[in-house]
Amino acid sequence: MKKLLTILLTISALSVFAQDGPTALKIGDKAPDFTAKDHAGNIVSLKELTKKGKVVVMFYRGAWCPYCNKYMSQIEEALPNFSAKNATVVAITPEPEESISKAVEKTKATFSIIYDKDRAIMKQWKVAYEMSPELQTKYKGYGLDLQKQQGDWMLPVPATYVIGKNGKIEFVHFDENYQKRAEIKDVLMKL
């Protein structure tokens, strides 16, 4: 199943954005503030976090995505390096809490993970897109029905941002090809 899902995801990478796709926020833009509860029940506020240091904001699609799990595991492994640079990591996902628990179990993530229930954060950060009907049908054929799992077919481009203490974006990795993620070393260099 996992191998089949990976093949499906690879084949469909280019067709995901046949519609008008999302656009990335740019370096120098003011990062949209958010306040939300993370998977551990803590209130997470971007404004408050930036008072302490830089913040890495990462969007991921879900625990069902092997690329997301791999990237979250890499971030977790590098977390001491982020902490040494006085940076906080926050992940944002459209997955409900029970699925976030699966992601934590798979990746051993100890950083804050926020369920973007109404997709407001994803939309403000311009990473949200809705899967095409053709792609929805393909995913359903492989046993992945995001409508049932998370309430809709909206996902984020798996983007990574570094936010400075002034609230401005200092680093952006935004690639509509979900297989391509920011290199951890590149993110650390911006901290």
Side-chain angles (χ1 to χ4, degrees), residues 16 22 31 37 73 80 88 90 102 105 107-108 125 137 146 158 160 172 175 181 189:
V16 169
K37 193 182 294 187
S73 293
T88 305
V90 176
K102 291 176 188 174
E105 189 177 305
T107 66
K108 309 298 184 230
W125 285 67
T137 300
L146 295 179
T160 303
V172 176
D175 194 321
R181 308 297 170 104
M189 283 177 31

Side-chain angles (χ1 to χ4, degrees), residues 24-26 29-35 45-47 50 57 59 92 120-127 161 163 167-169:
L25 296 174
K26 308 291 184 228
D29 287 352
K30 181 82 171 153
D33 191 24
F34 58 80
T35 300
S45 164
L46 182 61
K47 185 176 181 179
T50 56
V57 176
F59 291 87
I92 301 169
I121 301 169
M122 291 173 12
K123 289 174 185 175
Q124 285 181 314
W125 285 67
K126 300 183 180 181
V127 298
Y161 294 90
I163 314 307
K168 292 195 176 184
I169 297 171

Side-chain angles (χ1 to χ4, degrees), residues 114-149:
I114 295 170
Y115 167 40
D116 190 6
K117 182 178 180 180
D118 298 322
R119 317 305 186 247
I121 301 169
M122 291 173 12
K123 289 174 185 175
Q124 285 181 314
W125 285 67
K126 300 183 180 181
V127 298
Y129 71 93
E130 186 150 344
M131 294 174 80
S132 69
E134 297 80 21
L135 198 51
Q136 292 175 27
T137 300
K138 284 182 183 181
Y139 273 55
K140 284 180 187 176
Y142 289 101
L144 184 60
D145 188 339
L146 295 179
Q147 179 71 41
K148 286 182 184 174
Q149 189 174 341

Side-chain angles (χ1 to χ4, degrees), residues 50-64:
T50 56
K51 289 179 181 177
K52 301 173 190 172
K54 293 187 180 184
V55 180
V56 177
V57 176
M58 186 261 296
F59 291 87
Y60 80 93
R61 298 167 355 134
W64 52 268

Side-chain angles (χ1 to χ4, degrees), residues 12-23 61 127-132 135 155-158 174-178:
S12 62
L14 297 176
S15 65
V16 169
F17 299 103
Q19 61 186 357
D20 290 336
T23 59
R61 298 167 355 134
V127 298
Y129 71 93
E130 186 150 344
M131 294 174 80
S132 69
L135 198 51
L155 292 174
V157 169
F174 178 95
D175 194 321
E176 293 176 354
N177 181 345
Y178 61 85

Side-chain angles (χ1 to χ4, degrees), residues 102-113:
K102 291 176 188 174
V104 169
E105 189 177 305
K106 289 179 182 180
T107 66
K108 309 298 184 230
T110 58
F111 47 87
S112 288
I113 302 173

